Amino acid sequence: MRLTRRLLARGVSVVSLIRNPEQAGDLRALGAHPIVCDLERATAAQVEEAVTGSDAVVFAAGAGPGSGAERKLTVDRDGAIKLLAASASADVSRYVMVSAMGAEDPPDRDDVFSVYLRAKAEADAAVESSDRAWTIVRPGRLTDGPGSGRVRIASHAFEGEVPREDLAAVLDALLAESRAARMILYVNAGERTVEEALAACLTARAS
């Protein structure tokens, strides 16, 4: 929802894939076009149809808190890979993946959070090996407080947390920045504006 508001504010048309039909009204009220498409149950053809005509796809789904290890695999891993395959079939070149800090070196324990990080790591690996113009975003702990508009973006992992609003601002900026393709970026709260933080990261990559 936060990313949708930002995209619509700059005139971008947004198609929102949702599991719960009850969310459709809120999205329509914003000006988005909701499509009920449960990534766990939808066929490859159904997902492809939903994203056909898009310029970019953002995977921001998740099994959510309270879900078990099995759904970390079916949503956070398999859902991302299914959406990636649909993007390729529909010739959507840009794919932005919301992953998680810790996916760079996931633990091998059996607790749910460890399974979650391994699911993210496996999905990220599929994205990296694809031919899409991908960007993987690995934020720290997400918070629900107001955004500050200031973040730190790096090409290596670092501890921290970030408001969801500020993460949405980073995703919005990435969708408008083709130079961020084929990058893994770590995001947390910081001192720079989103534009400054992203520009610094892109400059460091080019040097």
Side-chain angles (χ1 to χ4, degrees):
M1 291 291 284
R2 292 172 174 87
L3 177 57
T4 295
R5 289 189 189 96
R6 289 178 174 274
L7 291 170
L8 291 169
R10 61 182 180 89
V12 177
S13 177
V14 178
V15 174
S16 302
L17 275 58
I18 56 175
R19 288 191 294 260
N20 184 356
E22 294 179 1
Q23 297 172 334
D26 290 338
L27 287 160
R28 288 195 190 98
L30 290 179
H33 176 57
I35 296 177
V36 178
C37 183
D38 186 339
L39 288 176
E40 287 181 284
R41 296 174 176 82
T43 65
Q46 288 171 326
V47 182
E48 179 184 347
E49 182 181 2
V51 301
T52 293
S54 299
D55 297 309
V57 166
V58 179
F59 180 84
S67 58
E70 182 178 351
R71 293 202 68 231
K72 304 302 184 190
L73 299 176
T74 58
V75 178
D76 294 276
R77 183 191 65 188
D78 300 344
I81 293 172
K82 185 183 289 187
L83 186 61
L84 176 67
S87 299
S89 298
D91 198 27
V92 182
S93 61
R94 191 82 171 97
Y95 191 95
V96 177
M97 170 79 175
V98 179
S99 182
M101 203 163 292
E104 69 282 350
D105 186 23
D108 59 3
R109 299 186 299 271
D110 293 329
D111 61 282
V112 173
F113 188 65
S114 296
V115 174
Y116 164 74
L117 289 178
R118 289 201 300 276
K120 283 295 191 185
E122 291 170 20
D124 289 358
V127 172
E128 284 187 80
S129 66
S130 76
D131 62 355
R132 300 298 88 191
W134 55 264
T135 304
I136 295 171
V137 183
R138 292 176 175 165
R141 188 176 73 87
L142 299 178
T143 65
D144 292 321
S148 68
R150 296 190 174 272
V151 297
R152 179 184 173 192
I153 303 175
S155 58
H156 59 274
F158 61 98
E159 292 186 6
E161 60 184 29
V162 61
R164 295 175 191 272
E165 187 64 46
D166 289 339
L167 177 59
V170 171
L171 297 173
D172 184 24
L174 286 170
L175 286 169
E177 180 51 83
S178 61
R179 293 177 298 166
R182 308 194 74 80
M183 293 185 73
I184 299 177
L185 300 173
Y186 296 84
V187 178
N188 275 317
E191 301 299 323
R192 290 173 162 172
T193 66
V194 171
E195 293 75 14
E196 291 169 343
L198 181 55
C201 222
L202 293 171
T203 299
R205 181 197 198 188
S207 62

